[in-house]
Structures are given as C-alpha cells and as structure tokens.
C-alpha cells in the first residue's frame, strides 16, 4: 500500500494458492479423474486519487498477468479485468 501526497492510494495484492484436492467426482473430457488442481499466483492492482474534496477517480486491474486458473474444476475464472470510475461526494 502506498499513499502519495495524501491525495491518493495505490494497492498491490499478491495472492498465491497452492495445489489442492479436486472434488472426488471431477473428470476431464476423456473420463479421467482429476485429483488435484494446480497452484496459481494472482497479482491485482488498485488505485484512487482525490481530484478535489468532492471528486475521486479510482481504478482496479484484476489478474494483471492474465493467469489461467480454476478455483474449482471446470469453472474457469475470467482473465485480465479492468475497472475505472468516478466517485462524487456531497
């Protein structure tokens, strides 16, 4: 977490998940049982910056390096995703 000029904030998340057991009823397209799911590492970045006392711009990038992974067998997770917005306060 890095705060710059007391007007903004940058966050960097590093998430590592080790190999883990798959559900006992997990099979691939050829009928072979899947016993483990591979480990994976995700990098996510987010930032916000106060343009004024009432307006903030923010953004986020999830899965920065477009890692291919599954949290559960055959349920793929989206790759690189980005979000951008403005927040108005009264």
């Amino acid at each position: 977490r890095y705060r710059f000029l007391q007007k903004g904030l940058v966050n960097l998340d590093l998430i590592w998940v080790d190999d883990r057991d798959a559900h006992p009823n997990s099979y691939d397209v050829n009928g072979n049982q899947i016993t483990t799911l591979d480990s994976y590492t995700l990098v996510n970045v987010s930032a916000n910056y106060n343009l004024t006392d009432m307006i903030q711009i923010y953004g986020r990038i999830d899965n920065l390096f477009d890692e291919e992974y599954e949290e559960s067998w055959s349920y793929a997770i989206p790759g690189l995703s980005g979000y951008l917005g403005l927040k108005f306060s009264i």
Side-chain angles (χ1 to χ4, degrees):
R1 205 176 252 212
Y2 177 71
R3 184 172 294 279
F4 51 99
L5 302 176
Q6 298 300 319
K7 292 189 85 171
L9 182 67
V10 175
N11 291 305
L12 176 68
D13 297 323
L14 177 66
I15 302 165
W16 177 74
V17 177
D18 198 4
D19 292 343
R20 60 228 177 272
D21 294 337
H23 188 276
N25 294 326
S26 300
Y27 296 90
D28 66 14
V29 295
N30 298 317
N32 300 314
Q33 186 173 20
I34 304 299
T35 57
T36 60
L37 298 174
D38 293 335
S39 64
Y40 60 89
T41 302
L42 294 178
V43 177
N44 302 322
V45 177
S46 64
N48 65 55
Y49 186 78
N50 296 320
L51 298 172
T52 69
D53 289 340
M54 297 173 43
I55 301 172
Q56 180 184 77
I57 187 169
Y58 61 91
R60 185 176 91 214
I61 298 174
D62 292 339
N63 197 359
L64 182 62
F65 299 111
D66 202 20
E67 177 79 14
E68 291 185 24
Y69 69 100
E70 295 175 316
E71 291 181 349
S72 181
W73 173 249
S74 79
Y75 288 93
I77 302 300
L80 174 73
S81 303
Y83 308 89
L84 184 63
L86 287 174
K87 186 188 302 184
F88 298 94
S89 301
I90 297 175

